[in-house]
């Protein structure tokens, strides 16, 4: 049974192609900086947005037309697996990601939910044997069901803490079974609405305990995936504990978890936190904590997580700049945690959406590599900080001075000469590089 009958395998046809079902910039075999685009970009499809999302919003029921929706229950779960692997094959992606509830319906009891999962996981494992598409990461949904109304590991109710732990335990077993390269913890409802009913200290300590138990269990079963925290500042709760990379990193260090985790950075979560995507990537990178990416973009005029497919080339370029400087993403990848708009409801739109996302990151990769090869930003930045390469600056960097010495030095200063930051010139240069990539230069 085919769910995308009218669509052939998507191929690279180059920037001048008019074929909507072709890549214009993503050429999986093309080498950039010594690695193929496919190896470098490690794209993943998000199961929830592509195979379970119905495009409903607070004002209306779903609009998505999905040929597999004629089924129900476990039959629907199985049909989604068939559709998913057909989609992966036609798109040519190396990875996918899922939550437990995306792949199998929850039963009336935890035991029944686990049985449903076992059936679908066995089916996925079977499909993976004949597919090149591997599991970038899995996670569990500890936020949608009403039992998680007050959070999961940060719930006020100990039974919910236990239930959440049991679900993560199963998630780790599934990750091991399917060879997941990473395991993600997005906070879900791990946060609070108001302090007037909240014991923040207990909730944070419990989160710390929960993560340690997850680390221990992964070790116990020999699941060696990279653990990833995915920060988000708000939504669904007004204060999410993993606000951004900086606060997540402080949390990890406080609870002595920093050696077991890295970050999965989502573009739209960064902008919700009042940061740019590249800020979050840089903060993680310079601390050796950049693990993986949820590739999407927010709407510049809307204040919530719109999860749009990435199309902004400026942002993909600056993101790829960070990723190249990081030496790639290691075991991580670029997972499209992105959904088509409510008005883009046909199955074909799922292809158009992934094509624009993949092409946008391919452009970003090419332009960022060229900027790096030509030392455009590096040379400028090195010059801008040149006062730290000699004299008093070098003494500061080498730890040879204290406040006494600095005061003595400052007392002798008469005029401090600054140089321009050249922001506009650098932007003009970046535009030039972007447009040259279009022209195939
Ligand atoms: C929610 C979000 C999640 C995580 C996985 O905003 O990004 O889909 O990526 O739970
Ligand atoms: Co995400």
């Amino acid at each position: 049974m085919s769910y995308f009958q009218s669509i052939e395998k998507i191929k690279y046809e180059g920037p001048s192609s008019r074929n909507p079902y072709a890549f214009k910039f993503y050429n999986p075999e093309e080498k950039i900086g010594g690695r193929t685009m496919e190896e470098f970009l490690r794209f993943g499809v998000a199961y929830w947005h592509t195979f379970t999302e119905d495009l409903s919003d607070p004002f209306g029921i779903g609009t998505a037309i999905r040929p597999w929706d004629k089924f129900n229950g476990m039959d629907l779960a199985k049909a989604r697996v068939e559709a998913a692997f057909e989609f992966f094959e036609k798109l040519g992606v190396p990875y996918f990601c899922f939550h437990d509830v995306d792949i199998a319906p929850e039963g009336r009891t935890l035991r029944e939910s686990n049985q449903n999962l076992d059936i679908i996981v066995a089916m996925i494992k079977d499909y993976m044997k004949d597919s090149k598409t591997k599991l970038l990461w899995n996670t569990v949904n500890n936020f949608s069901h009403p039992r998680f109304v007050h959070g999961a590991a940060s719930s006020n109710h100990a039974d919910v803490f236990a239930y959440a732990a049991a679900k993560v335990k199963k998630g780790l077993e599934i990750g091991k079974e399917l060879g997941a390269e990473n395991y993600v913890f997005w906070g879900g409802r791990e946060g609070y609405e108001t302090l007037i009913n909240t014991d923040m200290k207990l909730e944070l300590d419990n989160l710390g305990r929960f993560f340690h138990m997850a680390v221990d269990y992964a070790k116990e079963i020999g699941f060696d995936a990279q653990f990833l925290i995915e920060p988000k500042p708000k939504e669904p709760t007004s204060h999410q504990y993993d606000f951004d990379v900086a606060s997540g990193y402080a949390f990890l260090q406080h609870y002595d978890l920093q050696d077991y985790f890295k970050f999965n950075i989502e573009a739209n979560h960064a902008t919700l936190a009042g940061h740019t995507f590249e800020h979050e990537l840089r903060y993680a990178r310079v601390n050796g904590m950049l693990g993986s990416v949820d590739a999407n973009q927010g709407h510049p005029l809307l204040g919530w997580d719109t999860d749009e497919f990435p199309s902004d080339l400026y942002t993909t370029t600056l993101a790829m700049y960070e990723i190249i400087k990081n030496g790639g993403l290691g075991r991580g990848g670029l997972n499209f945690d992105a959904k088509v708009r409510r008005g883009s409801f046909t199955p074909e739109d799922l292809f158009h959406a992934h094509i624009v996302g993949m092409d946008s990151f391919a452009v970003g990769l090419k332009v960022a590599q060229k900027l790096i090869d030509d030392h455009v930003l590096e040379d400028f930045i090195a010059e801008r900080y040149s006062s730290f390469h000699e004299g008093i600056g070098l003494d500061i960097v080498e730890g040879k001075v204290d406040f006494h010495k600095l005061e003595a030095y400052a007392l002798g200063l008469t005029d401090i000469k600054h140089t321009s930051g050249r922001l506009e010139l650098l932007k003009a240069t970046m535009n030039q590089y972007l447009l040259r990539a279009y022209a195939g230069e």
Side-chain angles (χ1 to χ4, degrees), residues 6-52:
S6 61
I7 294 164
E8 310 271 299
K9 195 166 167 50
I10 310 297
K11 296 200 184 93
Y12 170 72
E13 290 186 4
S16 55
S17 167
R18 296 284 174 102
N19 176 2
Y21 296 101
F23 296 117
K24 318 298 181 305
F25 300 98
Y26 176 63
N27 180 3
E29 281 130 46
E30 186 178 335
K31 283 205 166 168
I32 308 279
R35 259 183 274 193
T36 66
M37 281 199 183
E38 183 167 27
E39 286 162 353
F40 213 107
L41 295 164
R42 296 166 63 85
F43 287 126
V45 171
Y47 210 93
W48 56 103
H49 284 311
T50 307
F51 308 109
T52 60

Side-chain angles (χ1 to χ4, degrees), residues 170-322:
K170 185 72 180 167
L172 297 172
E173 290 159 9
I174 291 171
K176 178 169 182 201
E177 178 72 7
L178 297 179
E181 300 200 22
N182 306 270
Y183 185 88
V184 163
F185 294 86
W186 166 58
R189 292 181 196 274
E190 311 292 28
Y192 68 92
E193 296 303 327
T194 168
L195 282 180
I196 60 180
N197 67 11
T198 299
D199 185 342
M200 183 194 268
K201 177 79 167 66
L202 178 67
E203 292 198 358
L204 285 169
D205 287 349
N206 278 349
L207 265 179
R209 291 184 184 103
F210 192 91
F211 286 133
H212 272 291
M213 288 186 231
V215 168
D216 290 346
Y217 188 66
K219 267 192 208 152
E220 184 185 322
I221 63 171
F223 178 38
D224 68 350
Q226 173 65 56
F227 274 15
L228 300 168
I229 297 255
E230 183 178 322
K232 186 176 185 182
K234 54 190 164 194
E235 203 198 7
T237 71
S238 29
H239 303 265
Q240 298 276 125
Y241 287 130
D242 303 322
F243 187 94
D244 60 1
V245 173
S247 57
Y249 191 38
F251 169 87
L252 290 175
Q253 290 178 96
H254 180 76
Y255 290 97
D256 206 15
L257 287 158
Q258 69 278 11
D259 295 341
Y260 308 110
F261 286 80
K262 286 188 174 174
F263 288 98
N264 181 38
I265 296 170
E266 177 163 327
N268 204 165
H269 295 179
T271 49
L272 281 179
H275 300 306
T276 59
F277 184 22
E278 58 273 18
H279 165 94
E280 287 291 84
L281 293 167
R282 175 73 62 98
Y283 205 100
R285 169 165 84 79
V286 298
N287 286 293
M289 297 296 281
L290 176 52
S292 199
V293 167
D294 268 7
N296 64 11
Q297 68 185 31
H299 192 289
L301 303 179
L302 303 177
W304 61 91
D305 199 13
T306 59
D307 282 344
E308 296 177 25
F309 273 85
S311 60
D312 180 327
L313 302 178
Y314 226 91
T315 303
T316 59
T317 299
L318 290 174
M320 285 316 300
Y321 180 88
E322 297 304 323

Side-chain angles (χ1 to χ4, degrees), residues 125-434:
K125 194 171 180 182
D126 216 39
Y127 269 75
M128 283 173 82
K129 279 187 201 137
D130 300 319
S131 167
K132 73 161 195 177
T133 308
K134 300 197 282 283
L135 188 56
L136 183 64
W137 51 261
N138 66 310
T139 184
V140 299
N141 177 326
N142 278 353
F143 43 91
S144 293
H145 192 281
R147 81 175 71 85
F148 298 118
V149 59
H150 297 308
S154 66
S155 170
N156 59 305
H157 203 312
D159 288 358
V160 178
F161 185 99
Y163 207 105
K167 286 192 77 201
V168 171
K169 177 175 177 286
K170 185 72 180 167
L172 297 172
E173 290 159 9
I174 291 171
K176 178 169 182 201
E177 178 72 7
L178 297 179
E181 300 200 22
N182 306 270
Y183 185 88
V184 163
F185 294 86
W186 166 58
R189 292 181 196 274
E190 311 292 28
Y192 68 92
E193 296 303 327
T194 168
L195 282 180
I196 60 180
N197 67 11
T198 299
D199 185 342
M200 183 194 268
K201 177 79 167 66
L202 178 67
E203 292 198 358
L204 285 169
D205 287 349
N206 278 349
L207 265 179
R209 291 184 184 103
F210 192 91
F211 286 133
H212 272 291
M213 288 186 231
V215 168
D216 290 346
Y217 188 66
K219 267 192 208 152
E220 184 185 322
I221 63 171
F223 178 38
D224 68 350
Q226 173 65 56
F227 274 15
L228 300 168
I229 297 255
E230 183 178 322
K232 186 176 185 182
K234 54 190 164 194
E235 203 198 7
T237 71
S238 29
H239 303 265
Q240 298 276 125
Y241 287 130
D242 303 322
F243 187 94
D244 60 1
V245 173
S247 57
Y249 191 38
F251 169 87
L252 290 175
Q253 290 178 96
H254 180 76
Y255 290 97
D256 206 15
L257 287 158
Q258 69 278 11
D259 295 341
Y260 308 110
F261 286 80
K262 286 188 174 174
F263 288 98
N264 181 38
I265 296 170
E266 177 163 327
N268 204 165
H269 295 179
T271 49
L272 281 179
H275 300 306
T276 59
F277 184 22
E278 58 273 18
H279 165 94
E280 287 291 84
L281 293 167
R282 175 73 62 98
Y283 205 100
R285 169 165 84 79
V286 298
N287 286 293
M289 297 296 281
L290 176 52
S292 199
V293 167
D294 268 7
N296 64 11
Q297 68 185 31
H299 192 289
L301 303 179
L302 303 177
W304 61 91
D305 199 13
T306 59
D307 282 344
E308 296 177 25
F309 273 85
S311 60
D312 180 327
L313 302 178
Y314 226 91
T315 303
T316 59
T317 299
L318 290 174
M320 285 316 300
Y321 180 88
E322 297 304 323
I323 292 169
I324 297 170
K325 286 278 185 186
N326 196 56
L329 287 169
R331 314 177 76 172
L334 296 170
N335 164 51
F336 290 112
D337 190 354
K339 62 175 177 232
V340 288
R341 297 302 87 193
R342 187 175 160 77
S344 308
F345 45 75
T346 74
E348 292 78 22
D349 288 309
L350 296 172
F351 282 92
H352 299 314
H354 283 85
I355 290 170
V356 70
M358 290 162 84
D359 271 341
S360 299
F361 269 94
V363 171
L365 170 62
K366 283 179 113 163
V367 177
Q369 184 67 54
K370 189 99 183 72
L371 282 166
I372 289 170
D373 289 346
D374 294 354
H375 301 275
V376 175
L377 305 180
E378 282 79 356
D379 284 353
F380 183 81
I381 290 170
E383 180 56 30
R384 187 158 182 257
Y385 291 86
S386 58
S387 67
F388 284 94
H389 301 165
E390 58 189 11
I392 189 76
L394 192 59
D395 287 348
I396 292 171
V397 171
E398 291 182 343
K400 289 184 181 155
V401 292
D402 57 14
F403 269 14
H404 296 288
K405 286 188 185 145
L406 290 171
E407 184 194 42
Y409 178 83
L411 286 169
L413 289 172
T414 44
D415 192 16
I416 298 177
K417 284 207 171 50
H418 274 297
T419 53
S420 166
R422 301 268 186 252
L423 174 70
E424 297 78 4
L425 170 64
L426 291 170
K427 284 193 170 177
T429 311
M430 281 203 47
N431 282 351
Q432 206 180 350
Y433 271 73
L434 267 160

